[in-house]
Amino acid sequence: MRLIFVGTSGFAVPSLRGLVGAGHDVAMVVTQPDRLGNRGRLTPPAVKVAALELGLPILQPERIRAPEAVEALAQAGAELIALAAYGQIIPRSVLELTPRGVVNVHGSVLPRWRGAAPVAHAILAGDETTGVTIMQMDAQLDHGPILATASTAIGPRETAAELTDRLAVIGSDLLVETVARLDEIEPREQDHGAATLAPKLSREDGELDWGLSAEDIDRRVRAFHPWPGVTLPLEGRRVKVLSGRALDGEGEPGVVLHAGRDGVEVACEKGSFLLEEVQVPGGRPGPARSLVGHHAQQR
């Protein structure tokens, strides 16, 4: 099938590669413009890097709704648009551009976790399972009819980064299978009354204190890895928590209960949390124990 692929982040890369590997004619890859990275250099999106490796035509409009972008898409003569993790709202002018519309690879089992950060919100909520949905896009946010779903268990120590990588592969396989069977699939309306929202994360979401439960902190550390990350106060300064785990210690929130080779155990509102690897602003990742003075309580 001749199609256009639209995507930006690493989550979308397996889907692009899967479609090409299945023999589909990818007429064009649409991705967001290169952006300035942490070191002030222009960094191409992961999908652009993959498209270059595959030798595919690339379009990087600032806004996909721009008339010149829509015209370029129309000129591609595609039957279908396949989309994954693009990062912009798709206007009706694009939704209605191809005969078979737009199918989207979404990182949850809809209608649960509609929105920009479904993986993080699944971990935050303590969900035991999540998955991928292939949906026919309409004008509303993650609202269109479902074409296919696949579920998977969330590991008890799994981070958002690890889960996203797994879901990307599951989504790629499901997308390829769905496109192959598109003529025989009967779209299924979502249960809109059961929908939950997964809004975009902000840097402030990761700025925590010890007044939370250990379980809550643990979920946030995993859900906000790699972005926005979690910071917590330790020895008078805020540190970024790269790894840790919930324990059942007791004490006044914020008090160091133990510091040893395994890490630094700090009391929470309920339970305690073991800081394992941390990073101070401007520093390198290292063991939490190195940041705790000799006056720390030992238990």
Side-chain angles (χ1 to χ4, degrees), residues 7-28:
T8 300
S9 75
F11 177 84
V13 170
S15 289
L16 172 59
R17 292 189 181 279
L19 290 168
V20 172
H24 294 288
D25 177 13
V26 179
M28 180 183 293

Side-chain angles (χ1 to χ4, degrees), residues 244-299:
R245 52 192 169 92
L247 300 175
D248 57 3
E250 296 180 359
E252 181 182 346
V255 169
V256 175
L257 302 178
H258 171 79
R261 288 186 177 181
D262 55 345
V264 177
E265 183 183 0
V266 183
C268 306
E269 181 63 31
K270 180 180 179 182
S272 58
F273 189 80
L274 184 71
L275 298 166
E276 295 171 336
E277 187 179 24
V278 299
Q279 184 176 10
V280 297
R284 295 183 177 181
R289 177 66 184 88
S290 64
L291 301 182
V292 176
H294 294 297
H295 64 279
Q297 296 186 36
Q298 302 292 319
R299 293 192 179 181

Side-chain angles (χ1 to χ4, degrees), residues 18-292:
L19 290 168
V20 172
H24 294 288
D25 177 13
V26 179
M28 180 183 293
V29 174
V30 182
T31 189
Q32 297 221 41
D34 298 2
R35 305 292 186 192
L36 287 176
N38 293 333
R39 298 184 180 181
R41 296 178 181 176
L42 277 177
T43 303
V47 164
K48 179 181 180 179
V49 174
L52 287 170
E53 291 175 359
L54 295 166
L56 300 172
I58 300 167
L59 181 69
Q60 292 181 274
E62 192 65 43
R63 290 283 177 263
I64 197 171
R65 66 173 59 250
E68 59 271 22
V70 176
E71 177 61 24
L73 295 179
Q75 291 298 320
E79 295 179 62
L80 174 74
I81 296 174
L83 182 146
Y86 178 55
Q88 289 187 25
I89 294 173
I90 306 302
R92 191 175 295 278
S93 57
V94 174
L95 293 174
E96 298 176 350
L97 195 63
T98 53
R100 294 172 178 263
V102 181
V103 296
N104 179 32
V105 185
H106 182 77
S108 77
V109 179
L110 292 170
R112 189 161 179 79
W113 305 129
R114 293 177 176 175
V119 176
H121 283 276
I123 293 174
L124 278 177
D127 290 358
E128 294 183 355
T129 63
T130 186
V132 174
T133 299
I134 309 297
M135 57 168 286
Q136 190 84 41
M137 291 189 73
D138 64 15
Q140 299 185 53
L141 177 67
D142 298 331
H143 174 277
I146 293 170
L147 301 175
T149 60
S151 297
T152 185
I154 300 175
R157 304 299 313 141
E158 199 163 24
T159 67
E162 293 165 341
L163 182 54
T164 296
D165 287 346
R166 285 207 302 116
L167 292 177
V169 175
I170 294 171
S172 170
D173 292 343
L174 192 63
L175 175 64
V176 170
E177 177 187 331
T178 301
V179 172
R181 299 177 50 244
L182 209 51
D183 290 334
E184 45 188 274
I185 294 175
E186 187 67 35
R188 173 169 53 89
E189 192 74 11
Q190 292 186 40
D191 180 1
H192 302 299
T196 57
L197 296 180
K200 186 177 179 180
L201 302 175
S202 70
R203 194 172 298 279
E204 291 72 26
D205 289 327
E207 296 174 359
L208 309 184
D209 59 50
W210 298 106
L212 299 169
S213 72
E215 183 180 8
D216 197 2
I217 291 175
D218 179 73
R219 288 177 182 174
R220 290 171 191 246
V221 168
R222 293 186 294 114
F224 297 160
H225 177 76
W227 198 89
V230 161
T231 64
L232 280 162
L234 180 68
E235 296 285 89
R237 54 182 166 176
R238 294 195 72 85
V239 299
K240 185 174 184 179
V241 183
L242 302 179
S243 67
R245 52 192 169 92
L247 300 175
D248 57 3
E250 296 180 359
E252 181 182 346
V255 169
V256 175
L257 302 178
H258 171 79
R261 288 186 177 181
D262 55 345
V264 177
E265 183 183 0
V266 183
C268 306
E269 181 63 31
K270 180 180 179 182
S272 58
F273 189 80
L274 184 71
L275 298 166
E276 295 171 336
E277 187 179 24
V278 299
Q279 184 176 10
V280 297
R284 295 183 177 181
R289 177 66 184 88
S290 64
L291 301 182
V292 176

